[in-house]
Amino acid sequence: MSGSKDPLVISFGEMLIDFVPDTSGVSLAESYAFIKAPGGAPANVACAVSKLGGNAAFIGKVGDDEFGRMLADILKKNGVNTDGVLFDTEARTALAFVTLRKDGEREFMFYRNPSADMLLKESELKMDMIKSTKIFHYGSISLISEPCRSAHMAAMKAAREGGALLSYDPNVRLPLWPSADAARSGIKSIWNEADFIKVSDDEVQFLTQKDPENEEVVMSLWHDKLKLLIITDGEKGCRYVTKNFKGRVSGFSVKAIDTTGAGDSFVGALLRDVARDTSIFEDEPKLRETLTFANACGAMCTTQKGAIPALPTAEEAQKFISSSKAK
C-alpha cells in the first residue's frame, strides 16, 4: 500500500478515537448510539498519504489499552510506518465525542486529562527517523501542554537539521486550549518555522480576527520562510499563495455527510505530491493540478462517516475528478 520508493512523510502528534453519533443533526445528549472512528488530524494525514500511494510514518503516543492498540493496528492496515508509535502505561488513549450538525459540521467534547498523546517525551523520539524524513508535518494540539510541547519543538528542530520541509496545519480545537487568546498565541508561536501552512477560512478569521475573504488579511499570515500558504474554503475549493504567484482553485460539490478528516485528506494529497517534487512551489500549473487533486480528496472524504475509512485512493480520486468534469 505504502509507496516505499517515495520520499518519507512523517506526521507528528495525536491519534485518538472519535465517537460519532449514528444520527446526524442531534446533540450529544440526544444521541442514542455512537460509532467509534479512529481520528486525530496528524494520524489522518499519515493514512491519507499512504492510501494515495505515498510513504508515511506516524510519530505519537497512545495509551497501552485496547483503543491504543486498535489505533496502531489501523495505521499498519493503512500502510503507515508505526516505528515511532509509543504506548503509555500511565495514561489512556484520548477520546473525543463529536456531534454532527445537519450540515455535516462538527462540535467536539474531549476526554484528555491527561491523555497518552500529551505525555510524549523528547527522550522517546526516534531522532534518526525524524532526521531522514523529506517532510515533517504537525498540528498545534501537541503544543498545548508539556512534556509533549518540548518533544514537538525538538522534533521540528531535528527535522529541520536533517533538511526536511516543515508542514503545519494548526487544526484549531478551541476546547483544548485554556482560552482563545492562549490558542492564538500558541498556534502563532511556531508560525514562522514552517515551509508550508494550511489553514481553513474559519481559522484565518480566528487567528486574525478579521475577514478571511480579504486578501490583505490573508497576506498578514505570510512570512518570508514560507514556500506555500493554503487557505481551504470548504466546498468552494482553496486559495494558494507562493513567493511568486497566488490564485484560487475551485472545489467539488458533494453531499457532505461528515466533514471530519476532509482537511487531512486534502493535506495528505498535497504532501504526497510535494514529497515527490519540491519544485511544485515554483510551477503554478503543476501546483494547480495538485490542488485540484487535493480538493477532490477532501470532497470525497466528506461523503461518508469517519475520517480514515473515508480517505480515497489515488485511483478513486482520479475517477471522481474525471466524472465531475464530465458533468
Side-chain angles (χ1 to χ4, degrees):
M1 199 154 200
S2 195
S4 53
K5 300 282 184 289
D6 265 56
L8 181 62
V9 176
I10 289 180
S11 213
F12 172 91
E14 70 284 352
M15 188 169 195
L16 56 138
I17 309 265
D18 287 333
F19 283 94
V20 188
D22 61 354
T23 319
S24 293
V26 294
S27 69
L28 286 178
E30 293 161 338
S31 300
Y32 177 69
F34 293 88
I35 298 158
K36 86 177 185 261
N44 295 342
V45 168
C47 290
V49 169
S50 181
K51 255 180 139 173
L52 292 168
N55 179 12
F58 176 75
I59 293 179
K61 209 176 205 186
V62 290
D64 188 10
D65 51 42
E66 284 280 316
F67 285 156
R69 283 185 287 274
M70 177 192 114
L71 292 174
D73 284 346
I74 284 164
L75 289 171
K76 286 192 185 114
K77 282 197 183 89
N78 283 280
V80 175
N81 174 315
T82 57
D83 295 348
V85 174
L86 295 135
F87 297 88
D88 196 286
T89 52
E90 303 296 308
R92 298 259 189 231
T93 303
L95 308 179
F97 285 82
V98 185
T99 330
L100 297 178
R101 297 204 310 254
K102 293 259 191 308
D103 59 1
E105 286 296 337
R106 304 150 301 163
E107 289 161 19
F108 294 90
M109 184 163 84
F110 293 93
Y111 283 71
R112 312 166 79 228
N113 55 334
S115 52
D117 58 287
M118 298 157 75
L119 301 182
L120 177 65
K121 296 195 283 287
E122 185 180 337
S123 59
E124 296 173 313
L125 293 171
K126 282 221 169 350
M127 286 303 194
D128 293 351
M129 186 172 158
I130 293 169
K131 285 183 174 157
S132 72
T133 193
K134 182 76 175 269
I135 294 176
F136 186 71
H137 174 76
Y138 46 86
S140 69
I141 290 172
S142 40
L143 297 171
I144 297 173
S145 52
E146 292 292 1
C148 189
R149 181 184 164 86
S150 293
H152 181 142
M153 302 305 279
M156 267 174 44
K157 187 166 178 276
R160 170 73 76 204
E161 282 165 6
L165 290 165
L166 302 187
S167 162
Y168 186 24
D169 177 355
N171 255 308
V172 176
R173 294 285 177 270
L174 266 185
L176 296 180
W177 293 87
S179 67
D181 285 341
R184 265 187 286 270
S185 61
I187 286 163
K188 286 187 174 161
S189 68
I190 57 165
W191 198 261
N192 294 347
E193 302 292 321
D195 293 291
F196 30 97
I197 293 175
K198 176 241 139 194
V199 276
S200 69
D201 48 357
D202 291 346
E203 287 166 340
V204 172
Q205 185 166 11
F206 172 71
L207 290 168
T208 63
Q209 295 174 282
K210 297 189 178 116
D211 177 11
E213 288 302 315
N214 182 322
E215 198 168 313
E216 272 177 35
V217 170
V218 169
M219 290 313 294
S220 72
L221 295 173
W222 180 265
H223 64 78
D224 287 344
K225 258 193 207 167
L226 266 184
K227 292 178 169 62
L228 177 66
L229 174 65
I230 298 274
I231 295 90
T232 53
D233 293 308
E235 63 175 30
K236 295 204 296 270
C238 66
R239 288 170 275 168
Y240 59 90
V241 183
T242 71
K243 283 186 167 59
N244 303 316
F245 49 78
K246 53 186 165 193
R248 192 184 280 270
V249 179
S250 53
F252 296 87
S253 193
V254 290
K255 180 160 177 29
I257 292 169
D258 177 8
T259 55
T260 309
D264 306 323
S265 185
F266 176 97
V267 171
L270 173 66
L271 297 187
R272 183 205 71 169
D273 282 6
V274 172
R276 289 176 179 178
D277 181 8
T278 52
S279 74
I280 198 165
F281 306 120
E282 282 90 50
D283 186 337
E284 190 165 12
K286 202 178 265 178
L287 179 65
R288 289 184 66 86
E289 195 178 318
T290 282
L291 293 176
T292 298
F293 180 69
N295 281 342
C297 291
M300 289 177 79
C301 191
T302 67
T303 58
Q304 51 176 305
K305 276 190 188 145
I308 293 170
L311 296 168
T313 63
E315 194 183 3
E316 286 164 350
Q318 290 299 354
K319 262 193 196 135
F320 172 79
I321 293 169
S322 305
S323 70
S324 299
K325 277 183 185 155
K327 275 176 196 166

